[in-house]
Amino acid sequence: MKTWKTLGLLALFAQLAAGAPAHAQQPPIVIKFSHVVAANTSKGKAAEYFKKIVEERTQGRVKVEVYPNSQLYKDKEELEALQMGSVQMLAPTFGKFGPIGVREFEVFDLPYLFDNMEQAQKITQGPIGQQLLKKLDAKGIVGLTMLDSGFLDWTSNKPIVKPNDIKGMKIRIQSSKVIDARTRAVGALPQVMAFSELYQGLQTGVVDGQENPPSIVSTSKLFEVQKYLTLSEHGYHGYVLVANKRFWDGLPAEIKPLMNQAVKDTANYFNSNSKKENDDALEDIRKTGKTQILTMTAQDKDEWRKAQAPVYHDMEKRVGKPLMEDIIKTIGRDPAVLK
C-alpha cells in the first residue's frame, strides 16, 4: 500500500516538474550596474528605474544590483572592470572612452559644440550616435544608448565670467584630451581627479573649481565648498549606457527583447527628465544661499568661443575631422568653426 502511495507521489512530482517553466529552478541572471555619482542624481535615478522595470518585466529572472558613489570602482577603473566582466553595466561620460582607444567619443567634449539640447539629440539619438556606439564592439563593450544630461557650468571660489577670470585656476576635469585642451586654451590648469575625490579636493583647495550640470552640483553638495556657480553652458554633458559584450550577447533569446526595450524606456525616462532635474537643482542651490549664481551674456559666451576656437583644429586628428564635419553639418552650424 505504501509502495503505491510512494509511486503516486513520485508521478505527481514528475508531472509538476514537467509542467513547470525551465527557468523556475534556475538562479537569476545578475547584472552589477556600477556608477560613480550619488543615487539621487539623474544617472542614479535612471539606474534604479532600469532595475525596477527589468526585474518586473522578466519576473525576477534578471536581478539588477546598483552600486552608486564609486562603491565598486572609481572613474579610471570602471571601464576596465566592465571589459573584464567584473561588472555588467555602466553609464560613463563620453570622455572615459578616449583612454581605451575610442577617441571619437571625445568629440562631444569640444567647447560650445551644441547651442541647445535639440542639436545635441540630433547627434546622440541619430545615425551618428549609432555609428559611434558600434565602435565599442571591438573593445568588448556593447554601446546600448546615449543619455543626454545637459550642459556644463563652472563652479569656483572666485567669479568666472570672462575667459581671463579662469586663468591660473586649478580646474578638476575628466580624463579627456579634448577637455584638457579646452581648459588650457583659457589659461586654466586642468587636474584629472576621480569624481569620488572631488568634494574633498575642492574643500581642501587641491583644485579651485570644476564643471558639471546643476543636478550634479546639487546632489553632490559641491555648492557647500564653492562660492560661485556660473551658468556658462560651455560644454555638453551626457552618458553612454554600456554593457559587457560577452554578457549581453549571451542573454537568453526570450530575455533579450525585454532588455532591449528596457534600455529604450530608460533612455526616454532619463532624457525626458534631465531638464527638469537641472532646473530644480538650480533652484535648490539658489535657496541654500551658499553659492552665488552668475549668468553669462551672449557677448561673454562669444569671447569664450573665440578663446577656445583653436581647440577644434588642434583636436582634428584625435577625434577625426570627418566626424567633426558631419556633426557640424547635421546641426546646421557654421563650418567656419573648423577652419
Side-chain angles (χ1 to χ4, degrees):
M1 189 74 172
K2 289 182 180 179
T3 303
W4 284 109
K5 286 183 179 179
T6 302
L7 289 174
L9 287 171
L10 289 173
L12 177 60
F13 288 147
Q15 289 176 2
L16 290 171
H23 63 77
Q25 300 172 0
Q26 296 177 356
I29 298 166
V30 176
I31 294 177
K32 291 184 179 179
F33 190 152
S34 174
H35 65 85
V36 302
V37 294
N40 61 339
T41 59
S42 300
K43 180 161 66 171
K45 291 176 182 178
E48 291 295 338
Y49 178 80
F50 179 79
K51 168 184 171 68
K52 179 178 181 291
I53 62 175
V54 163
E55 293 180 351
E56 286 178 353
R57 294 175 187 180
T58 64
Q59 298 181 341
R61 287 192 62 189
V62 179
K63 180 182 178 183
V64 182
E65 299 175 352
V66 180
Y67 297 91
N69 278 325
S70 300
Q71 288 179 7
L72 296 182
Y73 302 101
K74 294 183 180 180
D75 298 71
K76 290 183 179 180
E77 305 164 345
E78 60 176 8
L79 273 174
E80 182 180 354
L82 183 78
Q83 290 174 303
M84 292 175 63
S86 300
V87 294
Q88 288 70 47
M89 290 186 70
L90 303 171
T93 51
F94 297 107
K96 302 280 183 64
F97 297 99
I100 68 166
V102 192
R103 299 173 175 178
E104 292 89 343
F105 278 91
E106 291 183 9
V107 72
F108 293 105
D109 296 329
L110 287 167
Y112 293 101
L113 178 62
F114 303 122
D115 295 326
N116 50 57
M117 190 55 70
E118 289 72 26
Q119 287 184 352
Q121 291 187 338
K122 280 185 179 181
I123 306 304
T124 60
Q125 309 302 320
I128 294 176
Q130 290 300 311
Q131 291 166 17
L132 288 172
L133 291 175
K134 290 299 293 179
K135 290 182 179 294
L136 295 172
D137 286 357
K139 302 298 179 180
I141 297 171
V142 176
L144 298 170
T145 190
M146 295 189 189
L147 308 174
D148 301 297
S149 180
F151 292 92
L152 298 169
D153 296 319
W154 298 113
T155 68
S156 57
N157 281 326
K158 70 173 188 177
I160 297 176
V161 178
K162 302 288 186 180
N164 280 342
D165 294 339
I166 203 171
K167 191 172 182 179
M169 292 178 63
K170 295 173 291 183
I171 301 294
R172 179 267 178 179
I173 67 165
Q174 297 186 52
S175 57
S176 160
K177 295 298 184 184
V178 177
I179 296 178
D180 184 277
R182 80 181 185 208
T183 307
R184 293 183 188 277
V186 288
L189 306 173
Q191 308 284 321
V192 175
M193 177 182 288
F195 185 80
S196 59
E197 300 168 6
L198 179 55
Y199 185 98
Q200 186 176 6
L202 293 167
Q203 188 177 41
T204 58
V206 174
V207 288
D208 302 313
Q210 63 86 48
E211 54 182 18
N212 261 303
S215 61
I216 293 179
V217 175
S218 177
T219 54
S220 302
K221 300 189 182 300
L222 301 182
F223 59 85
E224 293 181 345
V225 288
Q226 296 277 265
K227 294 179 181 178
Y228 299 95
L229 185 155
T230 305
L231 301 178
S232 52
E233 298 185 328
H234 61 274
Y236 168 73
H237 188 269
Y239 305 103
V240 186
L241 188 60
V242 293
N244 174 277
K245 183 170 173 57
R246 180 179 294 180
F247 168 81
W248 196 262
D249 290 349
L251 287 170
E254 68 275 15
I255 291 290
K256 197 69 168 288
L258 298 175
M259 298 298 289
N260 288 333
Q261 187 60 48
V263 165
K264 292 179 182 177
D265 292 344
T266 299
N268 289 334
Y269 168 84
F270 183 98
N271 294 340
S272 62
N273 288 319
S274 60
K275 185 180 185 306
K276 185 178 187 303
E277 292 274 350
N278 283 314
D279 289 345
D280 289 349
L282 193 60
E283 187 58 29
D284 289 343
I285 294 169
R286 196 188 307 274
K287 287 178 180 177
T288 68
K290 294 183 178 181
T291 298
Q292 185 177 344
I293 297 173
L294 308 174
T295 303
M296 285 188 185
T297 66
Q299 183 179 352
D300 292 331
K301 289 184 178 181
D302 282 342
E303 290 182 29
W304 283 84
R305 287 190 183 95
K306 289 176 183 177
Q308 295 177 313
V311 175
Y312 282 78
H313 180 265
D314 295 344
M315 291 294 112
E316 281 180 359
K317 290 183 179 179
R318 183 167 182 84
V319 303
K321 188 174 181 179
L323 173 60
M324 292 167 66
E325 290 174 337
D326 285 349
I327 291 175
I328 296 300
K329 181 180 179 181
T330 300
I331 64 177
R333 278 193 65 186
D334 185 352
V337 71
L338 300 175
K339 295 180 181 179

